[in-house]
Amino acid sequence: MKKTGDHIHTNTGETIDRKKFLWYLLGVPAMVSGLGGLSCNRQKRITGKFVGNSSTIGHMLRDTSQIPAPSKEIKTQVLIVGGGIAGLSAKRWLRKNSKLDVLLIEMAEDVGGNSAYGENNVSAYPWGAHYLPIPSLHNIELIDFLHEHNIIIGFDTKGLPIYNEYYLCHDPEERLNINGHWQEGIIPQLGVPDEDKKQIKRFLTEMDVYRSALGSDGKDAFAIPLDNSTCDEKYRALDSTSFKQYLTENGYTSTYLLWYLEYCCKDDYGCNIAGTSAWAGIHYFAGRKGKAANADPSAILSWPEGNGFLVKQFKKEDNAGIMSSHLVYKLEKDEKQVTAYVYDAAKKESITIVAEKIIMATPQYVNKKILADVAPDRSVDTFDYAPWIIANITINGMPAQRGLALCWDNVVYDAASVGYVNANHQNITTNSKKVLTFYLPYTSDTPKTERNKLYAASYEQLQDKILEELNYAHPGIRQYIEHMDIRMWGHGMIAPVPGLIWGTQRHLAKNNIDNKIFFAHSDLSGISIFEEAFYQGIKAANEIMGT
Amino acid sequence: MDKSTTNDSIAARPLQVLLLFSVFVIATCGLIYELIAGTLASYLLGDSVTQFSTIIGAYLFSMGIGSWLSKFIDGDLLKWFIRIEVLVGIIGGISSCLLFILFEYAVSFRIILYTLVGITGILVGLEIPLLMRILQGRLQFKELVSQVFTYDYIGALLASVIFPLVLVPYLGLIRTSIFFGLLNIGVALFVLYRFPETKRYRTTFTSGIVFFIMLLLGGFVFANRIMTYTETIAFQDKVIYSKSTQYQRIVLTRNNHELRLFLNGNLQFSSSDEYRYHEALIHPGMQALHNAKDILVLGGGDGLAARELLKYPSIRSVTLVDLDKGMTALFKENEILTELNKRSLLDPKVTVINTDAFSWIRDNRKEYDAIFIDFPDPSNYSVGKLYTNSFYAEVYRSLKQDGFAVVQSTSPYMARRSYWCINHTIESVGFLTIPYHAYVPSFGEWGYTLCSKNYTWKNTGQLPAGLRYMNKATMENMLYFSPDMADVPTEINKLNNQVLVHYFEEDWGPYTH
């Protein structure tokens, strides 16, 4: 209220009253008959399309007979298959720590995997992961990476990292639409009965205990990377039951609390609480142990393009030796080398790449097909993947609302989606146009059934579904929407179903084959987060250098 | 023509007189609606010549369409006439109320305005031809034409005289339009009950008419409440300019002795005392610099800070970065405003850049002798960013080693914590600060923060001639903070906490609720 000599009431409450008043007037039948054209929003078409569907080329793996025979051969010492974070991390580690000749091939048009991103004339925006919690001080490799790229700008006298404040998530961070109002934070508060609040508090206190808990071997009960967690059976046993069962057994019955936990599992794992292991459910709360000189332990880092920003840092470091639009459809292995059969989707021809060693930075459902000849008995059927859709929605304004203003993360109580992120939030520039990144996991049935449902849907059907979701919390938002692109992720993220994380299959799937074929992917951790992919890449690279 | 015998026409004579009286009423109403639309348009949109001329043109043209359309109306003409009267009454009656309320959605305001003018015009255009046809059999043609138009023009005269002299000052625009809406409906009611032919549908029509009368009466009674819902009432003075740009609502008001500029309803300056604010913003910093050449102004799209800067002949360039092109264009083009800022934005030394100041300064690689920051108060998160440590770190980088920066820092009296939060945030990036304040009657006690990289500031420089507020003694006074404005502990405002926006809301809360 700069220089407020004259008093003018401009608090938001009044705007809303005025708006309500207006609608009241427009509701008067006499006016509607006179001014019908004004009150009804004509349904203008919202432009948009499906984007980034590399699944089309990926699905060529189902029937490789159409792929032309290889016409040339390339040689390299190490071949990395898959340009997601695990592949990029492996490549970076080899470049920094060895003199090996490395080539990375990626099926999609660009690297990034689940950290893919896009850009239009309003903002850059994520097509997948959109944030990174500040890491624990023990995660030295990740801290170094962040420091190298000026995301950590230095360290204070106590050795705590000082984060670049442009990248720490700006305030206001999160809001929840509940009981017709936007409250601050996502844990339900507004209109929540005291009994429920008590349960929520009890649950969070219990999670705090888990966060600082140590196993009998002195290791963290829940760590990131999760391989650093304790072997103590007391904690690992939690992996064999579902999170839902755990909650029931511990007397958590509050609908508000259960909604919140369901939201958390959907948001991080793409699963509901029945499909998530109790260990993974608790890990969501107990695994993050970040510390910073200039931020809270719960602080996160985010960028308009989401974790695409981190992908750009990898590319900035080293963009050589990356071949995109290349699909590996078969591997052969002999005593000395591995031969990858690769289809170049751009040139529509095939090549072979002969490598001494190969890192499969690809998910296990893909490996199952590629390795069909080399390792036919490799068993990975507990690995399942949650389907998602992500929409990037360009808006030129928003209807006025009650409560907290637009935040970085905006969630609606009791909705199917996990809400949307304002991609412009970390842009310091003021712009009335924005891009909202909307996340909708398909969790009501088994991943496979849901995936088929997803693949059967048309763009228009999905657009309608998203509009319906958005309109629930933002009545009248449609008229502000200019454009909506949608991306389907049939195999969005590894689902940490009970028994995956500490079961035998994950353990076996990590083992290399004859010191020639190595594995690096976040699904080998059992949860799909940047830190795990980053770690798996380094781990595979170290394995190669050690042999 | 049904019953037009001579006897009947004598019997029906009072009826004809009343019908002609209706012509008079209708004509008055019709002109009133036109005047209301014209007044509202120039009141809200400014530029009254254009507004009046286009409204009158559109209205008369629509009346023409109405007259032309009248030939397609056949059958029970009385019934049609009553319907049209009710419609004119209701649409004309609520027109000003509707325009006031819809003005907030100013992007399409003109469409709404002209649609309303068009509809009213068409309906009014239908009235007279229909009435003439109703009266056709009852009067001789020359009598008919002569009388109808006589009453029509008398009505117009009455309307144009009472509108500015009686209606606007005593009833206000909303009540005036509702009042005339009621008159139109009154004519409908009168026709309905004085003509036996209407008996069949009298009851059905009456219930509808009563409903609309109640509605309009309600509007008449609650007119003041309606006005408080519309922003325009918020301005005490006449709105002479109003525009919604991509970023804000600019409203300029005027009374006998001052101009006031409002951005989103917040007063930015009053021409009567803005010199105090701008002299205090510029001169304490500038007088302490010798030979300052390159100056940066962030915000300040009104060109008033630039006007003060141009009083220093040593200045070679003033770079002014303001988000809103609508704002700087207004202060380059509008005659009243260029008189106020002495055409500063058109000065060849001044370069105006319309972009977001934060992203601009982040990319800036030049160092300036002085930087003046004149942003709106941190009342929301997007402005709050411009008061963060991250922003001031960029300012620090963009300032020469011996330069000064000055930040308008809201009121240390009314928003004490906000003021000191800005001060502490500026200090947190390595600046040394000298807080000072000035009394600007239309704002109250106003605060600034002078920032430097070393203690070189002195109150001994040469001030330009002709200042009305600043001199050496004023400057010394400005440095003293009474205990009720003195320093209080606060957090540092950062992008990831935006504490200032919270402080600001709490500080100003008691003054705005």
Side-chain angles (χ1 to χ4, degrees):
Chain A
M1 251 127 282
K2 178 168 175 183
K3 312 146 194 179
T4 326
D6 282 52
H7 270 306
I8 288 162
H9 297 261
T10 48
N11 49 326
T12 47
E14 195 192 318
T15 324
I16 287 140
D17 288 344
R18 191 184 307 140
K19 190 143 212 160
K20 247 167 100 188
F21 179 77
L22 171 67
W23 284 114
Y24 164 76
L25 268 189
L26 286 176
V28 174
M31 300 225 2
V32 173
S33 66
L35 298 161
L38 285 178
S39 61
C40 73
N41 307 316
R42 248 173 299 121
Q43 298 268 299
K44 70 168 183 218
R45 231 185 77 77
I46 296 169
T47 57
K49 57 182 185 312
F50 279 135
V51 299
N53 270 336
S54 50
S55 59
T56 336
I57 125 163
H59 287 168
M60 291 177 79
L61 286 177
R62 291 173 178 175
D63 176 16
T64 52
S65 62
Q66 301 303 313
I67 299 175
S71 53
K72 67 172 181 187
E73 187 184 285
I74 298 176
K75 275 193 194 313
T76 181
Q77 281 177 297
V78 179
L79 173 66
I80 300 172
V81 182
I85 299 302
L88 292 171
S89 169
K91 183 166 182 286
R92 169 176 175 269
W93 204 250
L94 290 171
R95 184 182 51 77
K96 284 173 93 78
N97 301 296
S98 79
K99 293 204 156 52
L100 293 165
D101 176 21
V102 183
L103 203 58
L104 183 148
I105 59 174
E106 163 59 41
M107 163 182 82
E109 282 170 30
D110 201 359
V111 293
N114 268 8
S115 297
Y117 59 93
E119 189 160 7
N120 63 18
N121 53 14
V122 176
S123 178
Y125 45 78
W127 274 124
H130 55 288
Y131 72 100
L132 175 68
I134 57 167
S136 142
L137 299 182
H138 297 302
N139 201 342
I140 297 159
E141 295 85 355
L142 186 52
I143 298 259
D144 283 348
F145 173 74
L146 298 178
H147 193 194
E148 276 168 33
H149 294 285
N150 199 35
I151 296 165
I152 290 173
I153 55 176
F155 295 86
D156 73 357
T157 47
K158 284 181 250 164
L160 292 177
I162 302 166
Y163 282 89
N164 187 328
E165 288 179 8
Y166 285 116
Y167 303 150
L168 284 170
C169 184
H170 301 172
D171 189 65
E173 194 171 317
E174 300 169 328
R175 62 174 184 167
L176 174 70
N177 185 280
I178 182 166
N179 297 323
H181 194 99
W182 287 102
Q183 64 152 62
E184 193 172 357
I186 295 179
I187 299 174
Q189 297 288 330
L190 199 100
V192 174
D194 285 347
E195 194 47 48
D196 294 74
K197 281 188 181 161
K198 267 188 219 155
Q199 267 194 36
I200 293 173
K201 203 171 163 212
R202 176 160 73 88
F203 176 82
L204 294 174
T205 314
E206 197 180 337
M207 293 304 114
D208 282 343
V209 173
Y210 277 126
R211 189 179 306 119
S212 46
L214 301 176
S216 50
D217 51 6
K219 287 177 159 183
D220 281 333
F222 296 89
I224 298 175
L226 58 74
D227 279 351
N228 294 343
S229 306
T230 179
C231 302
D232 194 336
E233 199 47 35
K234 179 182 163 196
Y235 297 106
R236 287 200 173 181
L238 287 163
D239 190 47
S240 49
T241 54
S242 76
F243 196 32
K244 189 176 183 179
Q245 195 182 337
Y246 164 84
L247 294 166
T248 314
E249 282 167 9
N250 287 277
Y252 292 114
T253 52
S254 158
T255 31
Y256 290 101
L257 174 64
L258 294 178
W259 170 82
Y260 173 63
L261 300 176
E262 185 91 23
Y263 157 79
C264 293
C265 288
K266 273 159 53 171
D267 194 41
D268 252 33
Y269 306 138
C271 300
N272 51 34
I273 50 175
T276 305
S277 94
W279 196 93
I282 296 168
H283 186 271
Y284 179 93
F285 296 94
R288 297 176 185 176
K289 302 173 216 268
K291 276 194 185 129
N294 58 342
D296 290 339
S298 61
I300 57 155
L301 298 157
S302 188
W303 302 269
E305 64 274 64
N307 290 2
F309 180 85
L310 300 169
V311 174
K312 287 181 182 169
Q313 307 313 306
F314 280 114
K315 287 186 358 189
K316 215 156 71 181
E317 265 184 46
D318 173 26
N319 204 16
I322 293 178
M323 298 162 73
S324 49
S325 297
H326 281 68
L327 169 79
V328 174
Y329 60 91
K330 195 170 72 169
L331 278 193
E332 277 171 4
K333 175 177 70 78
D334 60 29
E335 307 285 279
K336 290 183 300 206
Q337 60 197 28
V338 186
T339 306
Y341 288 76
V342 181
Y343 174 64
D344 179 343
K347 290 189 188 151
K348 300 205 180 333
E349 60 180 37
S350 294
I351 55 170
T352 51
I353 302 176
V354 179
E356 289 165 23
K357 294 180 197 296
I358 185 165
I359 296 178
M360 298 301 291
T362 35
Q364 305 320 310
Y365 74 92
V366 170
N367 291 346
K368 196 174 162 183
K369 298 198 171 80
I370 299 176
L371 298 174
D373 299 338
V374 178
D377 44 0
R378 199 169 172 271
S379 165
V380 287
D381 51 324
T382 47
F383 288 78
D384 210 341
Y385 300 82
W388 285 73
I389 53 175
I390 294 176
N392 274 299
I393 305 163
T394 309
I395 57 166
N396 52 30
M398 271 186 132
Q401 288 209 293
R402 299 205 309 192
L404 188 63
L406 183 66
C407 289
W408 171 71
D409 194 9
N410 306 271
V411 179
V412 178
Y413 183 77
D414 237 359
S417 77
V418 292
Y420 60 85
V421 162
N422 169 18
N424 293 58
H425 188 80
Q426 298 291 94
N427 268 334
I428 43 163
T429 312
T430 307
N431 192 347
S432 55
K433 286 195 177 191
K434 295 183 192 333
V435 176
L436 305 180
T437 310
F438 177 91
Y439 293 85
L440 177 62
Y442 275 50
T443 58
S444 48
D445 209 324
T446 62
K448 193 174 173 164
T449 319
E450 291 286 304
R451 186 153 46 240
N452 290 335
K453 236 192 260 175
L454 180 58
Y455 285 149
S458 68
Y459 169 81
E460 285 73 20
Q461 284 168 328
L462 293 181
Q463 194 196 74
D464 285 346
K465 191 174 172 135
I466 292 164
L467 286 175
E468 197 185 313
E469 278 260 331
L470 276 177
N471 198 59
Y472 172 76
H474 304 277
I477 196 171
R478 193 185 201 283
Q479 58 170 317
Y480 296 98
I481 299 179
E482 291 186 346
H483 190 83
M484 184 191 299
D485 284 337
I486 301 174
R487 179 159 184 169
M488 295 201 263
W489 292 94
H491 296 81
M493 303 197 298
I494 180 71
V497 295
L500 174 76
I501 293 178
W502 299 118
T504 47
Q505 270 197 8
R506 182 178 81 93
H507 186 65
L508 293 173
K510 288 189 283 191
N511 292 343
N512 70 57
I513 300 172
D514 298 339
N515 273 329
K516 286 205 168 50
I517 303 174
F518 298 80
F519 296 94
H521 193 270
S522 67
D523 66 356
L524 296 172
S525 294
I527 60 176
S528 180
I529 58 177
F530 181 90
E531 302 91 307
E532 295 292 345
F534 185 80
Y535 159 79
Q536 293 290 348
I538 292 174
K539 189 166 160 269
N542 279 336
E543 260 187 89
I544 284 193
M545 290 185 296
T547 56
Chain B
M1 250 188 279
D2 19 3
K3 290 175 186 173
S4 61
T5 63
T6 342
N7 288 342
D8 277 352
S9 81
I10 293 162
R13 193 158 176 81
L15 209 59
Q16 283 157 21
V17 173
L18 282 169
L19 270 176
L20 289 168
F21 182 68
S22 302
V23 173
F24 170 71
V25 174
I26 289 168
T28 318
C29 294
L31 196 74
I32 291 283
Y33 299 141
E34 178 183 334
L35 289 170
I36 285 174
T39 311
L40 258 172
S42 40
Y43 186 65
L44 297 173
L45 300 171
D47 191 1
S48 56
V49 175
T50 315
Q51 300 310 338
F52 258 103
S53 138
T54 52
I55 294 279
I56 290 173
Y59 193 80
L60 287 178
F61 177 69
S62 308
M63 279 177 69
I65 298 176
S67 301
W68 176 75
L69 284 173
S70 72
K71 75 172 175 180
F72 298 105
I73 294 183
D74 278 317
D76 193 339
L77 291 183
L78 270 176
K79 196 173 178 176
W80 274 110
F81 181 71
I82 294 169
R83 279 186 189 139
I84 286 165
E85 278 311 292
V86 175
L87 266 180
V88 175
I90 191 76
I91 294 173
I94 58 158
S95 60
S96 62
C97 176
L98 199 66
L99 289 174
F100 263 120
I101 292 166
L102 291 175
F103 181 59
E104 190 186 340
Y105 307 91
V107 183
S108 52
F109 182 70
R110 280 192 173 79
I111 298 172
I112 296 167
L113 174 69
Y114 284 100
T115 311
L116 209 54
V117 166
I119 293 171
T120 322
I122 289 173
L123 290 170
V124 170
L126 280 164
E127 290 175 321
I128 299 292
L130 277 184
L131 248 185
M132 286 176 80
R133 281 164 66 190
I134 291 168
L135 287 166
Q136 197 176 7
R138 303 169 203 255
L139 286 172
Q140 275 195 325
F141 183 67
K142 62 176 183 185
E143 280 292 305
L144 175 68
V145 175
S146 139
Q147 295 204 16
V148 165
F149 283 106
T150 307
Y151 284 103
D152 189 9
Y153 293 126
I154 294 177
L157 174 69
L158 180 73
S160 59
V161 173
I162 61 169
F163 183 75
L165 297 180
V166 182
L167 300 172
V168 175
Y170 295 102
L171 276 185
L173 286 171
I174 291 189
R175 284 202 171 123
T176 300
S177 70
I178 293 179
F179 177 71
F180 283 88
L182 282 166
L183 284 187
N184 269 122
I185 295 185
V187 168
L189 208 56
F190 156 76
V191 173
L192 188 63
Y193 278 87
R194 291 309 294 264
F195 285 82
E197 300 93 305
T198 59
K199 220 166 201 164
R200 280 176 299 114
Y201 46 84
R202 211 170 265 172
T203 3
T204 11
F205 269 41
T206 308
S207 51
I209 289 176
V210 168
F211 170 75
F212 288 131
I213 289 179
M214 299 302 283
L215 185 79
L216 288 181
L217 278 176
F220 195 81
V221 174
F222 293 111
N224 283 339
R225 296 239 333 241
I226 295 171
M227 278 299 274
T228 58
Y229 278 110
T230 67
E231 206 177 40
T232 332
I233 192 75
F235 303 103
Q236 298 165 350
D237 304 327
K238 203 176 140 207
V239 174
I240 60 168
Y241 178 91
S242 164
K243 187 183 179 181
S244 282
T245 67
Q246 198 187 338
Y247 306 101
Q248 54 200 349
R249 267 283 303 286
I250 303 174
V251 174
L252 203 58
T253 70
R254 180 163 56 189
N255 62 28
N256 292 336
H257 63 281
E258 61 178 349
L259 273 173
R260 287 164 173 251
L261 177 84
F262 296 84
L263 295 182
N264 295 334
N266 300 319
L267 180 64
Q268 297 303 297
F269 69 75
S270 154
S271 61
S272 65
D273 59 14
E274 59 77 19
Y275 70 90
R276 280 183 162 236
Y277 175 82
H278 291 104
E279 286 185 12
L281 175 70
I282 299 300
H283 300 299
M286 283 304 295
Q287 59 85 29
L289 285 168
H290 302 287
N291 212 17
K293 287 199 161 48
D294 300 310
I295 314 293
L296 176 63
V297 179
L298 301 173
D302 52 26
L304 298 170
R307 175 195 66 196
E308 293 303 315
L309 285 169
L310 293 171
K311 294 176 180 169
Y312 292 86
S314 68
I315 289 177
R316 184 169 59 186
S317 79
V318 175
T319 306
L320 189 147
V321 183
D322 190 287
L323 180 61
D324 195 350
K325 191 166 188 161
M327 177 84 177
T328 51
L330 178 64
F331 279 85
K332 275 182 190 170
E333 288 156 12
N334 185 296
E335 222 181 293
I336 311 164
L337 298 173
T338 50
E339 198 181 311
L340 196 64
N341 66 20
K342 302 272 185 286
R343 302 171 61 82
S344 63
L345 298 182
L346 298 165
D347 191 287
K349 288 179 184 170
V350 178
T351 310
V352 175
I353 299 170
N354 293 117
T355 186
D356 185 272
F358 206 145
S359 48
W360 184 88
I361 201 163
R362 243 184 120 175
D363 296 336
N364 171 52
R365 293 292 168 264
K366 187 173 163 178
E367 286 182 354
Y368 291 86
D369 295 301
I371 302 177
F372 295 92
I373 302 177
D374 189 17
F375 292 135
D377 280 354
S379 60
N380 63 54
Y381 294 110
S382 44
V383 185
K385 291 180 181 185
L386 301 169
Y387 289 85
T388 55
N389 58 346
S390 301
F391 182 79
Y392 294 129
E394 307 290 355
V395 173
Y396 191 95
R397 196 178 46 72
S398 304
L399 185 67
K400 282 189 183 156
Q401 194 54 35
D402 50 359
F404 296 111
V406 177
V407 181
Q408 97 76 6
S409 314
T410 191
S411 169
Y413 174 71
M414 282 174 279
R416 189 169 162 189
R417 273 194 308 165
S418 309
Y419 177 82
W420 290 105
C421 171
I422 297 170
N423 185 279
H424 300 151
T425 306
I426 294 171
E427 285 176 331
S428 77
V429 302
F431 272 126
L432 303 165
T433 64
I434 297 173
Y436 68 92
H437 61 99
Y439 182 68
V440 184
S442 45
F443 305 154
E445 202 58 55
W446 214 259
Y448 307 83
T449 311
L450 190 136
C451 326
S452 66
K453 297 186 178 183
N454 42 48
Y455 281 115
T456 53
W457 186 80
K458 283 197 189 78
N459 183 11
T460 50
Q462 180 70 42
L463 286 165
L467 299 186
R468 294 161 72 192
Y469 177 64
M470 290 296 305
N471 64 18
K472 221 178 143 188
T474 312
M475 221 180 319
E476 260 153 38
N477 277 337
M478 294 199 306
L479 300 172
Y480 175 72
F481 279 73
S482 55
D484 61 352
M485 303 193 292
D487 198 349
V488 283
T490 68
E491 284 185 58
I492 304 299
N493 188 42
K494 299 176 179 183
L495 285 170
N496 60 329
N497 66 17
Q498 292 252 21
V499 284
L500 179 61
V501 174
H502 299 282
Y503 287 149
F504 189 79
E505 255 169 31
E506 287 161 22
D507 287 346
W508 280 101
Y511 299 94
T512 51
H513 292 292

